[in-house]
Structure formats: structure tokens, C-alpha cells
Amino acid sequence: MKKTAMKATGIILAVSLLAAGCGSSGGSSEDAKKNDGGKKENVTLTVEASQEIVNNIPYAFSEENIKAFEEKYPEIKVELVLNPDAQNTSILQTKLASGQPSDLICYNKVSAENELEIAKNCVDLSGEPFVGNLADKEILTAPDGNIYGFAFAVKTGGMGVVYNKDLFEEKGIEIPKTYDEFTAVCEKLSSQGITPFYGPFKDVWTFQMWTTSTWGYYAAKSEPDLWDRLNANEIGWDEVPALQESLEKAYNLYKDGYMQSTVLSDDYNSIPAAMSSGEYAMTVGSNTTVRDLLNAYPDIQFDMFPYPVYEGEEEYLTISQLDAEFFIPKDAKHIEEAKKFLDFMAQPEQCDTAQKAASFVPNVKGAKEPEFDDFEGRLYEEYNKTGKTVLEMNAYMKVDLNDLWVYFQDMFAGAKTPEEVLSAWDATFEELMKAKGIENF
């Protein structure tokens, strides 16, 4: 999940990570040998990711790290291929199926296991040197016991309601711990001319932070086997009242005037201007959203609290699955160069350099611990370190959720009720699971 204030629009392909131009393509790894002049043939190592991941996880794409890699291996140039968020999964699936993938792909761990079938499509890296540098191998281990990728960090932070802390203090508002308290806060703010909740729902992925968080909490605490039952076709999405409850509570905020009327015209990029204006008090987001706001407006206090939709939810922070994991497709042109890239990035000094882009808890032995600011440090100490976290719903899904996210937009457009959203998704989910050959569909 995850979401920063710099999202690109349209399709951006073959964008270099560095200002310098890229070297020419060098064909297969076997061709990257010394030529008659005694020099190695240039190789362009392509790294493919969504715009969202690149924006949200800047330490994984540090230009300083890339520059150091290219200096060590001057015959290798690194090129970043950026995909639009909504099409990223289908683009990667198509490239993998056609045998024409990039040399490295960056994706969320569990989603990669389900949506990209990495056990079938990617190189087993269990015996690579970088694995010995890992502080925690378990978090990178796939269900089959192998390690198929590398990620710089262990998971910290999470998702929740991002709010203007100064505004709350000015109005004497306490953080709500129940949905009734939440709506009471909204009413108090609204009565004073402040729009309580800013909905940047033009982008299909923004509202889903509400559902992946609240549904993740509900299942973890009330129905731990819910996702297994849905994935086994034992129950339908429209047969789970709690899911409809979450949608109804969100839609009621909009229907009751606690959100702006232009929710489907305002995108994620509009959050900084809206949240710094004093006209809005809360929005959807993550620790990355808060950090971006704090960096852009150092004179304003922003913070985050868990969604208070279900009883007890305020005590837990919903975290996304391990993100920004790098995989090497089996059909990649430059597998050996890609392995060199991962081994290089898994060194302590490279993790230390990456900390300059954004703080993270490294999964590499000998790397320095992060220097969190007060906000990130509080989240880490209160939730991540104490284990008061639950995993988001998205992590358990075996198919692309983009259609579900579009149905959420239909809800805010008045084209579907919350119940109809779940019924439509249940039918689509069954088709997607059947097309993927999942048992019982």
C-alpha cells in the first residue's frame, strides 16, 4: 500500500534512475563478455516497478546506491521501467507469461507469490551470497521454503487516519476510539466550518486503504479463517456483514456531508494542499503520507491514528505486507547481472546509504539502525515493536483487486450501494479465481 504526494500520471516507460544516459542493451548475460578490445560489452539492467512503490519506498531506489553500483560495474547501466499503478499487475503478468520480463521486478511479497506466481516464474535465490547477510531470512521465505527476492527492510509503519494535529488541538478534539466518537468528531468539525474528512478517491487505490485496513483488522480479530474461506469459495464476499458495515460507514461520511463533494475529482496528489489549508482535518493514508506532509509543511503537526470502525480497532495498526521486494524472472536477459545488483544492495554500507532517502529498519546484518523522527518512532514503539499490528486484507488475495477498487468508486458515484459493491465483486472474484485455475472455482 501504500502513497506519497508525488504520483505520476499516464504511462512512463524506460525512465533512467540517473540523469546520465543509459548504455545500449547488451543482449544475454552470456554475451556480456570481453570483446576484441578487451572491454566488457555494455548491459542495460532493467528494473520494473509501479509508480506507487517507487514513490513510497524511496530507499529501495536510492540514486546514490545506483550510482555506486554502476561505478563498481561500469559495464552495467541501470534503467527503471515505471508502470501506472492500476495496470502494473496486468503488465507484469503479461510480460512474465510472454517470456519477455524485465531483469528485476519490484513487488509486494505475498502479492507476488499469488499474483505473479514467483515460485514458477522467478529464480530461486536461496543459495545466493546476499542471503547470508540477512538479519531475518524468514520474512523473505516463500511458502515453499525458498527465497526468491531481496527487500531492504523489515515492515514498520502502517495505515490509518491521517490528521492535522494542530487543528485537533485548536478545537479541543481528542482522538476518537470508536466509530460513534469518530462521527461526533466529524460533527463538531463540520459545525465550525471545517470539512472533517478529505477523500482523494479519483485514484482507484486510495479508498482501498480504508477497506484493506478495516477488513484486515476484522478478520484478524473476529474471523481468522475468513480469507481462507473466501479463497476456497466456501463463502461469498456479500455474505460477510462486517465487510458491508465498513463500506456503509465510509459512504455515510460522504452522504452526511463529512467529505468534500468532489471526492472522485481529487487525487492523492491533492492531499498536501488540502491538509495544509486548515479547511480539512483528516484523510486516508499511511505513515508515508504523514512523513511527506511533515517534510512539506514543517510548521504544521500531522499524525495518524488507527481507523476506529470496529470495536477494538483503535488498539491496532494495520500494516501492509512486506513491500519493495526485488525478484529476478527466470526469463530475464541478464540474470547474472541482476544477482550482482541484489548482492551489492544487500551490503551494510548500501543499507546505510539508503537510509538517507528514508528511514527504515534494515534486514541486513551490520547495517545501522534508523534514526526515526518523533512520529515514526512513536509508531514503531507503540505498534510495530510491541506486535500490536494486523496484516492488511490485500496480502491474502490471489488475484488482482483493481476491479474491486473501481466498484468502490461506483459507490461514491451513487451507481452501486455497498451491498451491490460486494455482490459485483463476488461475481468478478469468482471469474478471476476460475481463470487462474484456483481449486473450487
Side-chain angles (χ1 to χ4, degrees):
M1 311 261 313
K2 322 92 78 284
K3 293 57 183 175
T4 66
M6 292 296 293
K7 270 184 76 72
T9 58
I11 299 178
I12 307 174
L13 295 176
V15 179
S16 175
L17 272 170
L18 300 175
C22 296
S24 60
S25 176
S28 67
S29 296
E30 291 76 15
D31 293 334
K33 301 174 181 178
K34 291 184 179 180
N35 59 23
D36 292 339
K39 295 182 179 179
K40 292 183 179 179
E41 184 178 344
N42 285 346
V43 167
T44 296
L45 190 67
T46 52
V47 182
E48 189 163 4
S50 68
Q51 182 72 55
E52 175 190 343
I53 283 184
V54 175
N55 286 343
N56 285 354
I57 320 293
Y59 56 78
F61 302 90
S62 164
E63 291 189 10
E64 192 170 342
N65 286 122
I66 300 299
K67 183 178 179 181
F69 174 77
E70 292 185 333
E71 287 176 350
K72 181 173 182 178
Y73 300 101
E75 75 279 7
I76 305 175
K77 296 299 178 184
V78 179
E79 185 177 273
L80 181 61
V81 180
L82 295 180
N83 294 327
D85 301 333
Q87 287 82 48
N88 185 51
T89 300
S90 60
I91 290 173
L92 291 176
Q93 288 173 335
T94 299
K95 288 185 176 182
L96 287 169
S98 66
Q100 297 180 322
S102 292
D103 298 311
L104 287 150
I105 54 178
C106 188
Y107 211 76
N108 295 342
K109 179 183 183 293
V110 180
S111 292
E113 292 164 357
N114 292 325
E115 297 171 1
L116 304 184
E117 298 181 278
I118 58 169
K120 180 179 76 174
N121 293 318
C122 294
V123 177
D124 180 0
L125 303 173
S126 304
E128 292 303 309
F130 79 82
V131 173
N133 291 350
L134 297 175
D136 186 349
K137 297 179 184 179
E138 187 64 28
I139 63 172
L140 288 173
T141 301
D144 64 4
N146 297 325
I147 292 177
Y148 292 94
F150 167 74
F152 281 86
V154 298
K155 192 65 191 177
T156 59
M159 293 172 282
V161 178
V162 174
Y163 72 106
N164 185 323
K165 190 174 181 179
D166 288 341
L167 196 58
F168 267 48
E169 292 178 354
E170 177 187 332
K171 303 301 180 182
I173 295 174
E174 299 290 331
I175 293 175
K177 295 184 178 181
T178 66
Y179 187 74
D180 286 342
E181 290 180 2
F182 187 60
T183 55
V185 166
C186 288
E187 179 58 29
K188 183 174 182 177
L189 289 164
S190 184
S191 68
Q192 297 183 59
I194 298 169
T195 302
F197 203 91
Y198 187 72
F201 302 149
K202 179 180 179 181
D203 301 308
V204 295
W205 58 268
T206 46
F207 176 71
Q208 62 88 28
M209 285 188 279
W210 176 288
T211 54
T212 195
S213 296
T214 60
W215 295 357
Y217 168 80
Y218 169 76
K221 296 302 174 183
S222 301
E223 292 190 56
D225 64 344
L226 178 60
W227 310 130
D228 288 338
R229 293 166 64 206
L230 284 166
N231 285 326
N233 205 19
E234 295 176 3
I235 189 173
W237 290 79
D238 51 357
E239 297 179 275
V240 187
L243 305 188
Q244 183 174 328
E245 176 190 350
S246 172
L247 288 179
E248 288 173 343
K249 286 178 175 178
Y251 183 65
N252 285 341
L253 294 178
Y254 173 69
K255 187 177 63 176
D256 294 341
Y258 294 144
M259 295 185 193
Q260 82 278 21
S261 61
T262 55
V263 294
L264 294 179
S265 300
D266 299 323
D267 63 13
Y268 188 85
N269 282 341
S270 63
I271 286 179
M275 291 298 292
S276 64
S277 68
E279 298 176 12
Y280 302 91
M282 299 176 283
T283 189
V284 293
S286 68
N287 57 296
T288 302
T289 310
V290 176
R291 185 175 65 238
D292 289 342
L293 287 169
L294 291 171
N295 289 340
Y297 303 98
D299 294 331
I300 304 176
Q301 294 186 86
F302 295 97
D303 211 316
M304 184 175 73
F305 57 85
Y307 292 99
V309 172
Y310 302 110
E311 182 178 351
E313 190 171 0
E314 82 283 353
E315 293 293 328
Y316 290 83
L317 195 64
T318 305
I319 60 173
S320 62
Q321 58 187 291
L322 184 65
D323 45 26
E325 184 171 359
F326 291 89
F327 305 95
I328 304 174
K330 289 180 179 177
D331 291 327
K333 291 182 179 179
H334 307 116
I335 290 177
E336 293 309 312
E337 289 82 359
K339 288 180 178 179
K340 288 180 181 179
F341 181 84
L342 296 185
D343 185 60
F344 182 85
M345 295 304 169
Q347 302 305 313
E349 57 269 26
Q350 298 309 320
C351 282
D352 295 347
T353 297
Q355 293 278 1
K356 299 176 185 177
S359 295
F360 62 94
V361 178
N363 190 23
V364 173
K365 297 175 183 176
K368 296 178 181 177
E369 289 297 309
E371 295 182 5
F372 285 130
D373 59 20
D374 291 343
F375 162 68
E376 297 273 11
R378 181 183 68 78
L379 290 187
Y380 181 64
E381 292 294 328
E382 291 185 15
Y383 299 103
N384 303 117
K385 194 174 181 179
T386 59
K388 296 179 69 174
T389 59
V390 293
L391 188 59
E392 64 169 338
M393 175 272 289
N394 292 1
Y396 299 95
M397 296 297 103
K398 300 179 182 295
V399 294
D400 190 347
L401 301 178
N402 191 68
D403 286 332
L404 173 60
W405 301 349
V406 172
Y407 297 152
F408 292 154
Q409 290 183 319
D410 290 344
M411 180 181 71
F412 285 103
K416 285 184 175 65
T417 65
E419 182 179 8
E420 290 169 340
V421 166
L422 292 171
S423 295
W425 170 241
D426 189 63
T428 300
F429 180 75
E430 183 169 346
E431 292 175 2
L432 292 171
M433 294 288 275
K434 185 182 299 182
K436 198 168 182 181
I438 303 297
E439 190 176 353
N440 297 329
F441 284 90

